[in-house]
Amino acid sequence: MVFAENLISNLFYGALLGSIYGVATMGLSLIFGVLRIVNVGHGAFIMIGAFTAFWMFTLYSLPPVAVIPIALVFGLAIGFIAFQAVIRRLVDAPELSTLLATFGIGIFIEELAKLVWGADYVGFSWDIGTLYLGPITVSYSKILAFFCSVLVAALLYLWFTKTKLGNAIRAVVQDREGAVVCGINVNRIFALSFSIGIGLTVLSGVLVTLFVPVGINVYMGGDYTLKAFVISVLGGLDSPWGAFIAGFLFGLFENGSYAILGLIPGVEPFALTRFVAFAFLLIILLVKPTGLLGGGE
Amino acid sequence: MKIRSYKPLLPLFLIYALLILIAVAVPGMWQPVAFFMFYVALGQAFNIFMGLTGYVDFGYVAFLGLGAYGMAIAIKYFSSLGLISILLGILLAVVMSILLSLAVGAVALRLRGAYFAIATIGVNEGFRYLIEGVRLWGGSEGIVLSGLMRRTFGRETANLLSTFFSDILIIAIAILAAMTTIWILNRKMGYALLALREDEDAARVMGINVTKYKIMAFITSASFAGLIGAVAWTLKLTYVFPEDVFNIHYTVEAIVIVMLGGAGTLLGPVVGGLIYGVLKYYLSVVFPGIQLLILAPMLILTIIAFPEGIVGFIKKKGKKSRISYYLR
Amino acid sequence: MPLLELHRVTKRFGGIVAVDNVSLEIDEGDAIGIVGPNGSGKTTLYNLISGVYFPDNGRIIFDGKDITFLPAHERTPLGLARTFQIPRPFGSASVRENVAIGAMFGRAKLDVESALDIADHYLSIVGIEKLAEKEAKLLTPLEKRFMELARALAMKPKLLLLDEVMAGMNPADVDRIIEVIRRVKDEERIAVVSMVEHLMHAITRFAERVVVMHQGKKLVEGKTLDVLNDPRVVEIYLGKRVV
Ligand SMILES: Nc1ncnc2c1ncn2[C@@H]1O[C@H](COP(=O)(O)OP(=O)(O)OP(=O)(O)O)[C@@H](O)[C@H]1O
Ligand SMILES: [Mg+2]
């Protein structure tokens, strides 16, 4: 009985958190889809978003919800700078170069952040009440985080499907050469997509703090990078929508298995959950490297 | 086999000899040189896989970690054998790394580029969390050996093991890695790897069994990593914590060294390792804590400005001159 | 016994049937030209023979051995060699090393030293011996094609598949290539299959037999001149007489 209640509340929690995982992975998938670049430094941008929320709250008492658009703009700017300074020069370089370069960018951002903000864990408390629903106890800020995530994903979807620019990006994902023939300025699309990808990722960092407002640290991103890899592979690697849905599934899976693994005596369920996640990643890669939700061959 | 094809070892051994001379002759230089040699060895080991195949293994540190555990287990559980437990540890480190590399190779080496890189991160992290999750080998508390080593080997010997023999072994590993690299480069395997690094599909059509050669390079590189882990961690530091030995940080260092010196070249990792080691050693004195802040832009700059690395660059410039005999 | 036998081979990509139920026999020392409009399945046919793809249906027999599902690297040593429509040099290796790699892993199976030695011989056969030391990625597209031909020859194949080697070459270069093809065919009994899309006049000069591909199917096969004057062939080439 306790277990059932535990599982239910964990799954509920997982679904909420999963939506944030989804948004936190969309940027990675967008960048891979358009530029064929895996942003190995992904998590560093989530960290930037988290710190943005923290400082805006601490310095100006701005609630995280209000920081979302600020983080987006901030992220777009960082993304644009990173593209102009580094990525632009590597668009046609071998995969090795882009993997290592994004890796380097991530480390650079983390170390810079450490220099400015220090290596301590920080957090804040934005209390807007708690929901009690049977076995489920969850703060409203987490529910708000969920709705914000869904809204962000929905707006992005509309932008992609209804605007000319959004369609141009999708065309480049589908067929880069074809898009060039159709007169699409691919370099502009690259710059735009990279900026949007990073913008989304920084924004997702705010959502993360809305959900878990503590444990903010310059090295918090590594964990999210790894999760984002698992999720994006699950979602097909080049599809932001696949990533969003996969994020949900991952949230459910992660929190559900935590409840289950906790039943095994003598293990550390937290570490083991992660082990299961990575084992899962390898299995997907082996069985269907294009992702469970991705297309055919 | 013509002697000429082994000439490139000359400058390399010259560098090694010079370093050893400095270590012995200049007071206080033994430890710094040992520190440099660790990076030289790490670069050589990593280069055998990443440099020669063009695949990035972000989870490379898993092999170092496993080697460290191999040595720790041998000392902990076979201390009754006395110093033989060290030999056993070296053996165990290599065997365990080979086993893991076979498993990872079978899974991940079917994948290419980005997918491979992601899979290797998964392996490393998964492995670490498995150790912590099921409390294997001491779980997150790791294995601490200093007391045990003093009791079994005696204070003097234990001290000598960690401050002298481990360094000698690292130098030996660096020499062995260099000889292995040139041996590979001079054989069909070297040409097969060169081909598959450039164009894997074309290589297959050329009759090259790409999977076989990739796995061979992977296993070789992993065994060296296991050796380095056993010697430079367990033997030198006398403890193993999963958080430390599976830290992706060491993979970054290996990548920077290989790229800086020149991926796929013989001399590159030596030059890269030396520059990196020296910079890190003295930077950490001058600017403690910000080495990575300096290293990251260095890596990015290298990739953009001269992706072939220092040795690759010189090799290209010196193509027509006599130098080229000594560079690979 | 024919050297290569394709038996009702089919390859689909999604909805497209790139190669549709094609049967073909090639004997030792044959010189065959394959023609057909863009997208008619010529390159795919080569990919099936060399093992880049496996067919959905049909069998491929080479030298008496069923190679239908043999991995590419295992069929090459049996005596297959090909060039690529878009050249694929091993860019950071020198031209000599590129050719030597062919000699090491193809049917020739030479050791490293002999392969590097013999590479120069093949470079001079195709007339680019001066480029031996050059990094392959620095070659012009045309030079890359010569290098690919040398690399394929160094493999000592029994069957040589050339994918548009002559496209974009001037008449003197075309002459040189045809000369090389004739020579290896006569001296080493290598069967040469060459696809020539635009240079129809070239095909009459070396091909004894011509196969015409159209929408994945083998439309016609026969003696060169007969085929090129076949009304169906004339029709798919925009109603113009080709020769
Ligand atoms: N890997 C692939 N995936 C999907 N479709 C493919 C693939 N390879 C070939 N095709 C399709 O199969 C058909 C035949 O292509 P193929 O390249 O064999 O033609 P081709 O005769 O060589 O043409 P060309 O003269 O343009 O070289 C085309 O419609 C092509 O788009
Ligand atoms: Mg073609």
Side-chain angles (χ1 to χ4, degrees):
Chain A
M1 207 46 221
V2 177
F3 168 69
E5 287 187 1
N6 232 337
L7 187 64
I8 290 174
S9 99
N10 266 2
L11 286 178
F12 183 76
Y13 192 84
L16 298 186
L17 184 57
S19 70
I20 292 161
Y21 284 163
V23 175
T25 309
M26 289 172 89
L28 184 75
S29 297
L30 176 66
I31 290 172
F32 184 79
V34 177
L35 290 104
R36 297 279 132 189
I37 288 175
V38 177
N39 180 10
V40 187
H42 183 71
F45 297 98
I46 295 179
M47 177 272 293
I48 294 282
F51 267 100
T52 310
F54 168 76
W55 284 112
M56 288 293 163
F57 186 84
T58 311
L59 295 180
Y60 309 110
S61 307
L62 265 185
V65 183
V67 181
I68 291 176
I70 301 177
L72 178 64
V73 174
F74 189 35
L76 286 170
I78 298 177
F80 186 72
I81 294 170
F83 183 84
Q84 289 299 331
V86 180
I87 305 297
R88 182 168 60 92
R89 303 164 209 276
L90 296 172
V91 171
D92 294 316
E95 206 162 33
L96 185 74
S97 304
T98 56
L99 284 169
L100 299 180
T102 53
F103 193 53
I105 292 175
I107 292 172
F108 181 69
I109 289 176
E110 281 174 359
E111 294 303 314
L112 203 60
K114 190 172 89 177
L115 202 65
V116 182
W117 294 322
D120 295 335
Y121 284 87
V122 295
F124 60 93
S125 164
W126 184 56
D127 193 356
I128 51 168
T130 306
L131 173 75
Y132 298 96
L133 195 81
I136 297 162
T137 308
V138 62
S139 63
Y140 280 114
S141 60
K142 290 190 172 43
I143 295 177
L144 195 60
F146 168 79
F147 282 113
C148 289
S149 298
V150 175
L151 187 69
V152 167
L155 285 177
L156 195 73
Y157 184 76
L158 284 178
W159 187 78
F160 262 96
T161 48
K162 300 282 181 254
T163 67
K164 208 174 143 195
L165 217 49
N167 277 313
I169 291 182
R170 287 197 307 157
V172 174
V173 175
Q174 295 283 321
D175 176 3
R176 194 187 284 187
E177 278 78 36
V180 178
V181 176
C182 295
I184 292 174
N185 181 343
V186 174
N187 286 326
R188 249 186 60 206
I189 295 290
F190 283 169
L192 187 71
S193 308
F194 194 83
S195 308
I196 294 178
I198 298 299
L200 262 176
T201 308
V202 173
L203 176 157
S204 76
V206 178
L207 295 174
V208 164
T209 65
L210 199 50
F211 203 90
V212 195
V214 292
I216 299 168
N217 171 272
V218 288
Y219 296 128
M220 68 187 278
D223 235 31
Y224 287 98
T225 306
L226 296 171
K227 283 182 189 172
F229 281 165
V230 180
I231 293 165
S232 65
V233 167
L234 188 66
L237 204 56
D238 62 355
S239 149
W241 324 115
F244 188 69
I245 294 169
F248 259 113
L249 295 179
F250 187 79
L252 288 171
F253 163 80
E254 185 187 52
N255 289 275
S257 64
Y258 185 79
I260 295 167
L261 293 170
L263 296 175
I264 308 172
V267 302
E268 291 180 21
F270 177 73
L272 212 53
T273 301
R274 300 217 166 155
F275 166 71
V276 174
F278 290 117
F280 194 46
L281 167 74
L282 290 180
I283 293 170
I284 299 169
L285 280 173
L286 250 189
V287 177
K288 194 158 179 283
T290 46
L292 286 187
L293 308 168
E297 282 208 334
Chain B
M1 198 57 64
K2 287 183 188 165
I3 299 290
R4 205 190 85 179
S5 48
Y6 284 92
K7 269 191 182 172
L9 278 178
L10 209 71
L12 192 144
F13 283 152
L14 222 61
I15 295 177
Y16 284 1
L18 203 67
L19 281 171
I20 294 169
L21 193 71
I22 292 174
V24 176
V26 184
M29 278 310 283
W30 178 268
Q31 283 311 319
V33 168
F35 183 83
F36 307 154
M37 284 311 273
F38 166 75
Y39 287 110
V40 170
L42 181 67
Q44 297 263 13
F46 193 56
N47 185 49
I48 293 176
F49 181 67
M50 186 186 101
L52 297 185
T53 65
Y55 277 69
V56 210
D57 180 357
F58 282 115
Y60 189 66
V61 69
F63 299 117
L64 289 149
L66 205 58
Y69 270 106
M71 178 62 90
I73 291 167
I75 295 179
K76 185 165 180 191
Y77 297 104
F78 298 93
S79 59
S80 57
L81 297 178
L83 285 175
I84 298 197
S85 65
I86 306 283
L87 279 181
L88 191 69
I90 288 178
L91 201 69
L92 203 58
V94 173
V95 170
M96 282 165 68
S97 306
I98 288 180
L99 288 180
L100 181 67
S101 67
L102 278 173
V104 178
V107 178
L109 278 176
R110 300 175 183 198
L111 305 166
R112 295 211 185 160
Y115 289 94
F116 175 81
I118 291 176
T120 54
I121 297 181
V123 170
N124 182 49
E125 297 298 311
F127 205 68
R128 170 184 152 194
Y129 286 118
L130 180 67
I131 291 176
E132 293 185 10
V134 301
R135 306 211 173 121
L136 186 66
W137 303 329
S140 46
E141 270 107 67
I143 302 177
V144 181
L145 295 164
S146 43
L148 179 71
M149 282 172 78
R150 271 200 304 275
R151 281 195 303 280
T152 6
F153 307 128
R155 184 174 294 272
E156 293 262 299
T157 315
N159 219 356
L160 216 55
L161 273 176
S162 70
T163 56
F164 182 68
F165 277 114
S166 65
D167 302 332
I168 294 283
L169 285 174
I170 278 291
I171 294 174
I173 293 169
I175 292 173
L176 196 63
M179 287 168 49
T180 309
T181 307
I182 189 121
W183 186 75
I184 291 174
L185 285 174
N186 280 337
R187 294 171 59 88
K188 272 193 180 183
M189 180 173 170
Y191 289 89
L193 292 173
L194 170 61
L196 81 89
R197 185 175 70 212
E198 293 291 330
D199 186 337
E200 199 163 326
D201 290 317
R204 286 179 59 230
V205 172
M206 248 11 72
I208 296 169
N209 186 346
V210 293
T211 315
K212 178 179 109 185
Y213 287 111
K214 272 190 292 188
I215 289 202
M216 279 164 65
F218 195 52
I219 293 174
T220 313
S221 173
S223 326
F224 275 109
L227 278 176
I228 294 172
V231 170
W233 261 305
T234 314
L235 215 51
K236 190 158 183 70
L237 305 177
T238 68
Y239 58 78
V240 184
F241 298 130
E243 243 185 277
D244 289 349
V245 295
F246 292 117
N247 195 331
I248 197 163
H249 187 110
Y250 294 101
T251 310
V252 189
E253 294 191 313
I255 292 173
V256 172
I257 291 167
V258 168
M259 291 305 291
L260 191 66
T265 62
L266 172 71
L267 204 55
V270 178
V271 173
L274 212 54
I275 294 177
Y276 181 82
V278 169
L279 276 180
K280 182 168 174 181
Y281 191 83
Y282 293 104
L283 277 183
S284 66
V285 175
V286 189
F287 313 102
I290 66 159
Q291 307 99 302
L292 278 178
L293 190 62
I294 298 170
L295 281 176
M298 231 164 85
L299 173 64
I300 297 171
L301 217 69
T302 311
I303 292 162
I304 293 177
F306 51 132
E308 66 273 80
I310 295 170
V311 172
F313 185 76
I314 298 175
K315 208 168 100 181
K316 210 170 180 181
K317 291 285 154 209
K319 196 142 226 170
K320 294 257 154 56
S321 72
R322 292 276 306 277
I323 275 192
S324 62
Y325 291 134
Y326 297 97
L327 286 180
R328 271 215 79 166
Chain C
M1 187 182 63
L3 181 63
L4 178 79
E5 210 178 323
L6 297 186
H7 190 70
R8 295 171 153 277
V9 170
T10 298
K11 177 70 192 173
R12 296 184 195 89
F13 292 109
I16 303 166
V17 188
V19 168
D20 192 354
N21 211 6
V22 171
S23 296
L24 186 65
E25 282 186 9
I26 297 170
D27 289 316
E28 219 173 67
D30 267 356
I32 295 176
I34 297 191
V35 298
N38 285 104
S40 58
K42 304 180 300 287
T43 299
T44 305
L45 198 64
Y46 275 21
N47 284 336
L48 291 170
I49 298 171
S50 58
V52 175
Y53 304 128
F54 296 144
D56 297 311
N57 289 108
R59 313 298 307 171
I60 304 172
I61 318 284
F62 183 75
D63 218 2
K65 189 173 171 181
D66 188 330
I67 60 165
T68 316
F69 297 110
L70 206 63
H73 65 84
E74 286 181 35
R75 46 181 99 181
T76 308
L78 300 176
L80 275 165
R82 71 173 287 185
T83 66
F84 294 96
Q85 184 165 5
I86 299 157
R88 299 175 79 159
F90 302 124
S92 72
S94 71
V95 171
R96 177 184 291 124
E97 284 170 330
N98 264 274
V99 177
I101 286 172
M104 279 179 230
F105 297 98
R107 190 170 76 96
K109 283 246 173 261
L110 298 181
D111 60 50
V112 174
E113 297 288 335
S114 338
L116 285 167
D117 287 343
I118 206 143
D120 289 324
H121 163 69
Y122 288 103
L123 287 175
S124 65
I125 285 188
V126 300
I128 55 165
E129 64 275 18
K130 285 204 192 71
L131 301 173
E133 301 284 341
K134 207 162 179 178
E135 241 188 319
K137 64 169 167 246
L138 301 177
L139 298 184
T140 65
L142 212 64
E143 291 166 344
K144 282 181 187 161
R145 269 205 237 128
F146 280 114
M147 191 206 77
E148 282 216 332
L149 181 59
R151 189 169 66 179
L153 289 173
M155 296 166 82
K156 277 218 157 290
K158 295 178 183 170
L159 175 63
L160 177 61
L161 304 167
L162 304 175
D163 198 343
E164 316 244 351
V165 263
M166 292 178 259
M169 288 188 178
N170 65 35
D173 288 335
V174 172
D175 282 348
R176 200 158 90 216
I177 296 274
I178 288 178
E179 181 52 36
V180 172
I181 294 175
R182 279 195 182 140
R183 210 170 118 191
V184 299
K185 177 177 114 58
D186 294 339
E187 288 174 10
E188 308 186 31
R189 306 282 303 145
I190 298 177
V192 181
V193 182
S194 178
M195 68 173 76
V196 192
E197 194 212 318
H198 300 293
L199 288 167
M200 293 304 255
H201 66 91
I203 214 163
T204 58
R205 291 178 42 204
F206 79 90
E208 291 148 4
R209 234 172 353 128
V210 168
V211 173
V212 183
M213 297 285 295
H214 186 52
Q215 295 177 350
K217 292 196 177 62
K218 188 171 89 175
L219 186 74
V220 207
E221 180 184 351
K223 286 220 170 68
T224 304
L225 282 179
D226 299 346
V227 168
L228 295 185
N229 288 307
D230 186 303
R232 288 170 295 177
V233 178
V234 174
E235 189 187 333
I236 65 169
Y237 278 95
L238 301 167
K240 281 187 224 129
R241 284 176 69 89
V242 226
V243 180

